[in-house]
Amino acid sequence: MKKFFRYFVWTIVIGLIYYAGLRYELHLLNEAQMNYNFWPQVIFAALFPILIGILLRLPKLIKEIQQEKVWSVNWMKLLAVGLPTLYVSLVPVLLLTGLFKYIPFAMDIIHFDFATLAGVVFGYVLLDSLKED
């Protein structure tokens, strides 16, 4: 029963953070429409899903850290999964730069839904690529 409450509380915490993040993003969007500065909203929209992915993996990482073992980085996972998902999650930010037209596949992955999902995956993989020796 203790595990159930721990999972339940963590779900509520993530839900509240997600709700607050969506509200803040809406605030940033309203501000951007008023002053024509979309940088804060787009950067937040790119980084917030990464935070959610980190929060999804955090409880397991805390458990693993408590085992007090030596840690290293699984570079293969980080490069094979993390780098492409980071790229996809940051493409909307590149939309506001002059480099956007030179970036491969940018027009195919510009949709924010892809970027959001990729950001969550990157955040999760970022912590998941830490491994014990």
Side-chain angles (χ1 to χ4, degrees):
M1 197 60 137
K2 184 178 176 184
K3 272 188 175 184
F4 170 80
F5 286 115
R6 191 177 323 145
Y7 290 139
F8 184 72
V9 167
W10 192 245
T11 302
I12 298 296
V13 167
I14 290 174
L16 290 173
I17 291 171
Y18 185 71
Y19 176 74
L22 291 180
R23 299 269 312 193
Y24 185 65
E25 185 176 1
L26 184 60
H27 167 73
L28 289 175
L29 181 61
N30 289 334
E31 290 288 321
Q33 290 172 344
M34 290 172 52
N35 62 19
Y36 302 105
N37 181 11
F38 286 90
W39 277 102
Q41 190 270 332
V42 172
I43 290 173
F44 182 81
L47 296 180
F48 184 65
I50 295 172
L51 173 68
I52 296 297
I54 288 171
L55 289 175
L56 290 173
R57 179 62 167 87
L58 193 60
K60 189 172 180 184
L61 181 68
I62 291 171
K63 235 186 223 183
E64 292 170 351
I65 288 174
Q66 289 173 345
Q67 294 175 355
E68 297 180 12
K69 295 187 178 180
V70 179
W71 291 86
S72 65
V73 176
N74 184 346
W75 290 106
M76 206 172 306
K77 181 186 286 187
L78 197 57
L79 292 175
V81 180
L83 198 58
T85 55
L86 178 64
Y87 172 73
V88 171
S89 67
L90 293 181
V91 163
V93 173
L94 299 172
L95 172 67
L96 298 179
T97 67
L99 301 173
F100 180 76
K101 55 188 169 193
Y102 303 110
I103 297 171
F105 308 111
M107 292 306 291
D108 299 324
I109 56 177
I110 190 57
H111 304 289
F112 285 108
D113 294 339
F114 291 140
T116 301
L117 179 62
V120 171
V121 171
F122 175 72
Y124 189 90
V125 167
L126 187 64
L127 290 188
D128 195 48
S129 63
L130 298 174
K131 63 178 184 173
E132 55 188 77
D133 283 339

